[in-house]
Amino acid sequence: MSFPPRTQRVSRPPARRDLSGAPFLVAARGGRPSRLPVWFMRQAGRSLPEYRALREGVPMLRACLDPEMLAEITLQPVRRHGVDAAILFSDIVVPLYAAGLDIDIVPGTGPVVTTPVRTEREVDAVPALEPGQVDAVADGVRLLVDRLGDVPLIGFAGAPFTLASYLIEGGPSRNHEHTKALMRAEPALWHRLADRLADVALAFLRAQLDAGVDAVQLFDSWAGALSPRDYREFVLPHSAKVLAGAGEYGVPRIHFGVGTGELLTAMRDAGADVVGVDWRVPLDEAVRRLSVPGGPPPVVQGNLDPALLMASWPVIEAEVRRIAAEGRAAAGHVFNLGHGVLPDTDPAVLTRVVELVHSL
């Protein structure tokens, strides 16, 4: 397969398809779809042999900025598994890289920043993202809109806290010690950085939305490291800025984090239409926590433990049935994992889970 150069533009199809009856979108808007919809975080990626073959010798960031390649990778799990939504193949640091930051995705490690951002001078040097810098991603979205038929496409971005954590720590972190120290010791500087990163995330989402994605997900992968008090003071205003900007497009907005059981109501308050729930909190309990007196039941997404996909089929089937039953407490339920597909997951198991979910 050959790929167009990064500067080549793709012709623009109609901005957004009418998929109002698609099960994923019906559920995400709090309705009762024709079947329980299912997709998987990281469904496009390392668990698929066709992905590994396509990506051989191609660095991650190059793949994310090649319209033909990112479109093909996004389509692979839709063809193989029959999921109800495609998730754009990308990475949360793509807009930072595209804006000019010296950042790379190191195999086996993850995003690594050459110079961590910890001082006022370094914060002020974080560049804005100009729409043209992610034209390749927008072109990939247009290709997908043309090729997905009636399958919705989910765009995504990293939330300001998680982006800031990578920049401040210099890479993945277990304790986020530098991030928390800056947040508490220099709150004004923290808010300046988080606000700048909210603008980057929103610009990235707008590029995808303008190109035609049907929903968006804001990933706050590391927010579970925070207390509810710190989340509301230091994080919520910036995530709310991103979600409010995306809300201007009228598409469902999903908000997800890992280990965020104590933050679910705050993440709802940030402006999410759908709250993603990891495997640590049962969905019916998440619905109870998210419910507002006098208001409609919330919409949730989740939440099969991805590690259980390594278990025997009877174990997996029982868990899928339990989660589907618990999800009925919500106004709408999108079946998913409680985090991303693990690399060693058997693709045949994922296909079988989709078939089971659709039968319930």
Side-chain angles (χ1 to χ4, degrees), residues 159 161-162 165 173-176 180 183 219-231 235 255-264 267 276 278 280 339:
F161 173 78
T162 292
S165 179
S173 173
R174 182 181 297 272
N175 300 310
H176 309 279
K180 291 181 178 182
M183 181 185 289
F219 283 86
D220 212 349
S221 307
W222 307 131
L226 298 173
S227 69
R229 178 188 61 195
D230 283 350
Y231 180 92
V235 176
H255 200 9
F256 172 77
V258 183
T260 51
E262 297 302 318
L263 305 179
L264 292 177
M267 294 176 74
D278 78 3
R280 296 172 178 87
H339 198 199

Side-chain angles (χ1 to χ4, degrees), residues 35-64:
R35 67 187 185 204
L36 179 59
V38 52
W39 69 278
F40 304 111
M41 287 180 282
R42 291 191 192 145
Q43 65 188 16
R46 295 169 293 177
S47 66
L48 299 182
E50 56 266 43
Y51 167 82
R52 294 194 294 270
L54 184 61
R55 271 285 318 280
E56 186 174 1
V58 181
M60 177 67 174
L61 287 169
R62 183 194 158 194
C64 292

Side-chain angles (χ1 to χ4, degrees), residues 95-157:
L96 299 177
Y97 172 79
L101 279 173
D102 193 356
I103 189 168
D104 195 11
I105 300 175
V106 178
T109 300
V112 174
V113 182
T114 301
T115 303
V117 176
R118 298 174 185 171
T119 67
E120 184 174 3
R121 178 181 59 82
E122 291 159 349
V123 168
D124 289 341
V126 173
L129 177 68
E130 301 299 330
Q133 293 172 316
V134 288
D135 276 346
V137 175
D139 287 345
V141 169
R142 295 183 187 104
L143 289 172
L144 285 161
V145 167
D146 192 46
R147 297 173 185 176
L148 275 168
D150 59 359
V151 177
L153 175 62
I154 305 168
F156 80 88

